Amino acid sequence: MKIALVHDYIREYGGAERVLKTLSEMFPQAPIYTAFRVKGSTADKEFKGKRVIESSLAPILKIDNFYSPLRFLIPVIWKNMDLSGYDLVVTSASWYITRGFKVGKNTKVICYCHTPPRWLYGYGTSVGFTKYWPVKLYAAIVGHFMRMYDFTSAQTVDGWIANSDNVAGRIEKFYRKDAKVIYPPVEVEKIIRATQNLNKEDYFLIVSRLVGAKGLEEAARLAKKLDFKLKIVGETHGFAGVKRELESLSGGNIELLGRVPDDELYGLYGKARGFIALARDEDFGMSVVEAQAAGTPVIAFNGGGFKESVIAGETGILIDGTDEKTMAEAVKRLKNTKWDREKLIANARIFSKQKFVTEIGNFIKRYA
């Protein structure tokens, strides 16, 4: 089969890009079509040597952060991409919709959906633009037309894959489509090998892009109030001012590490006393699984994808609130509990890269 991959854009390297990288490893001859690619970015470095084809509007979109206010051009971006020469198109879709391109009469389209665009459907987003009334008005006008486009283009997809039950529910709600749940690929075995002989140190860890709707500022404030050490790994994203807020909170208890190589990251996972994830409605959350693969228990908000990846009392603690009292009790309980590394690892293996590759391959066979 002649296969093409499609992805929102190539800029920051996060969970969605890890999925794309695995897909590109599965189909090494498949080119990657994308709205734009920022040369030298963290994501760009991961796809070095791959054939990446940008949209005709890429020169405009990649200027500063124009891709965000110019989101009304999304239908034009994808419509101008001609993929009619391919037998199968696999899209990796979330923020930028990533559908609506030209296909041939016999072309099959499979969408791996990280989430329907959060900004279109009232979910918390990385940038709180709508707190400014001109932007709120702009978003309301653009959003109305983009929701129509989002729904219409969703009907052209032959097969849907969701990254969690949480997202599968959104796909059914907003697109009226059933989706097969295939969890994202986590390098579980690599993490296990890298962390098997490490000793725990007295700090907690967060791994996330420095964006809003992730609970980062909340966790940092709690670290200072409750006097526990917190390390945060992640890079900035778009217009988000989260990094400035975290820097203002940083001090003896909080350390911002930026993005680190995977081998260093695995060490941070393995040595951490616990992992913290406070996003209120995370789509899935690969970092929570990575922590468990490293034998590190998790404190996570009891919502979104965390409910699927954390076993309360066995691999972590699910909390219904993030107030000071609740967090203090969770931190104390985590420190006083003897966690079973083998149970943490066994749960992480449910979300392994090997399992992802097998399930994606079986799904695609339906359309071969």
Side-chain angles (χ1 to χ4, degrees):
M1 297 181 74
K2 192 176 180 184
I3 300 173
L5 305 175
V6 188
H7 186 68
D8 286 2
Y9 48 81
I10 295 176
R11 182 172 168 163
E12 299 87 6
Y13 190 67
E17 288 70 36
R18 288 182 184 274
V19 170
L20 177 65
K21 186 174 181 180
T22 301
L23 291 171
S24 70
E25 290 169 355
M26 292 176 66
F27 310 109
Q29 303 305 315
I32 300 170
Y33 288 80
T34 188
F36 64 91
R37 174 187 192 178
V38 177
K39 293 293 179 67
S41 64
T42 51
D44 177 62
K45 293 174 183 176
E46 295 292 335
F47 295 100
K48 186 176 181 180
K50 294 291 182 180
R51 185 184 172 206
V52 177
I53 302 168
E54 300 177 84
S55 74
S56 58
L57 294 179
I60 300 173
L61 298 172
K62 69 176 69 174
I63 296 174
D64 199 15
N65 292 304
F66 280 10
Y67 68 94
S68 183
L70 293 179
R71 65 187 75 182
F72 66 89
L73 292 174
I74 286 174
V76 178
I77 292 167
W78 302 121
K79 184 179 179 180
N80 287 337
M81 283 191 178
D82 187 355
L83 305 182
S84 58
Y86 294 95
D87 302 303
L88 176 68
V89 177
V90 181
T91 79
S92 165
S94 58
W95 200 90
Y96 237 52
I97 297 178
T98 326
R99 295 188 304 276
F101 32 78
K102 295 177 183 176
V103 295
K105 183 174 65 173
N106 298 316
T107 304
K108 299 296 182 182
V109 178
I110 292 173
C111 179
Y112 188 94
C113 185
H114 306 283
T115 180
R118 297 175 68 95
W119 58 275
L120 276 182
Y121 299 106
Y123 294 95
T125 61
S126 61
V127 182
F129 267 157
T130 52
K131 63 184 177 182
Y132 305 109
W133 73 263
V135 180
K136 192 172 185 176
L137 178 62
Y138 167 83
I141 295 171
V142 170
H144 171 71
F145 293 101
M146 292 308 300
R147 276 188 292 275
M148 290 192 292
Y149 170 76
D150 189 39
F151 180 82
T152 302
S153 63
Q155 308 313 303
T156 65
V157 172
D158 296 291
W160 284 92
I161 304 172
N163 71 349
S164 63
D165 289 325
N166 182 36
V167 168
R170 296 178 193 171
I171 291 170
E172 196 283 327
K173 180 178 180 180
F174 301 123
Y175 304 147
R176 302 294 186 264
K177 295 290 184 178
D178 293 326
K180 165 75 174 175
V181 175
I182 300 178
Y183 291 114
V186 178
E187 293 279 10
V188 174
E189 300 306 323
K190 281 187 178 180
I191 297 172
I192 293 170
R193 289 193 297 271
T195 59
Q196 57 188 351
N197 296 317
L198 297 180
N199 295 319
K200 292 296 183 184
E201 298 179 6
D202 193 21
Y203 68 86
F204 284 78
L205 180 68
I206 290 177
V207 177
S208 169
R209 294 177 184 178
L210 303 187
V211 296
K214 296 286 188 180
L216 301 180
E217 305 103 310
E218 202 170 12
R221 292 191 191 98
L222 288 165
K224 295 200 79 171
K225 283 185 179 180
L226 301 176
D227 194 28
F228 62 83
K229 292 182 180 179
L230 176 65
K231 295 186 179 185
I232 302 176
V233 173
E235 62 180 319
T236 56
H237 170 74
F239 287 103
V242 174
K243 186 172 186 291
R244 291 191 297 272
E245 176 70 15
L246 291 173
E247 286 172 340
S248 71
L249 291 167
S250 64
N253 288 52
I254 303 160
E255 186 178 0
L256 302 179
L257 301 176
R259 185 172 186 268
V260 301
D262 282 349
D263 57 350
E264 185 178 341
L265 176 61
Y266 297 161
L268 287 164
Y269 276 128
K271 294 176 184 177
R273 178 74 60 192
F275 188 85
I276 295 176
L278 300 184
R280 295 294 176 123
D281 196 3
E282 187 75 342
D283 307 327
F284 175 66
M286 293 174 72
S287 61
V288 168
V289 177
E290 290 173 339
Q292 293 173 74
T296 298
V298 176
I299 296 174
F301 185 78
N302 189 19
F306 298 150
K307 294 194 294 184
E308 299 174 49
S309 59
V310 179
I311 303 174
E314 286 194 13
T315 68
I317 299 167
L318 293 172
I319 55 177
D320 295 317
T322 55
D323 57 279
E324 189 173 335
K325 181 182 177 182
T326 300
M327 273 298 294
E329 290 174 351
V331 169
K332 182 180 179 180
R333 182 181 163 196
L334 185 143
K335 288 183 174 181
N336 292 336
T337 300
K338 185 175 177 58
W339 300 95
D340 187 333
R341 176 179 170 86
E342 293 308 313
K343 286 185 178 180
L344 286 156
I345 289 174
N347 188 51
R349 281 191 164 122
I350 295 172
F351 311 96
S352 71
K353 180 177 179 179
Q354 291 84 347
K355 188 172 183 180
F356 172 89
V357 170
T358 298
E359 292 187 349
I360 288 289
N362 289 338
F363 189 88
I364 286 176
K365 284 177 183 177
R366 303 181 196 177
Y367 302 92

